[in-house]
Amino acid sequence: MVIIGVGVLLWLINRFIPMQPTIKGVLNVVVILILIIWLLNVFGILESLQIIRI
């Protein structure tokens, strides 16, 4: 439900709010990165990556 909601919100922003194409691109990338990080956290993958030391 969250993914669908974010997708619809992003589509509405891209469709109805006039912005420069570069700003739209940056906004899309930022929203997608936040969504990916959230999904990694939900599935516990982000926590397992914190154990690895470099």
Side-chain angles (χ1 to χ4, degrees):
M1 293 304 284
V2 173
I3 296 172
I4 293 171
V6 169
V8 168
L9 182 65
L10 193 59
W11 175 77
L12 287 171
I13 290 172
N14 285 330
R15 178 85 173 141
F16 296 112
I17 297 178
M19 283 187 274
Q20 292 179 351
T22 54
I23 296 173
K24 280 186 183 182
V26 169
L27 178 68
N28 290 342
V29 168
V30 168
V31 169
I32 290 171
L33 285 175
I34 290 171
L35 189 62
I36 289 172
I37 291 170
W38 178 77
L39 282 171
L40 289 173
N41 192 26
V42 166
F43 288 112
I45 298 171
L46 203 58
E47 292 176 5
S48 66
L49 290 178
Q50 292 177 351
I51 297 171
I52 299 173
R53 301 267 181 201
I54 297 176

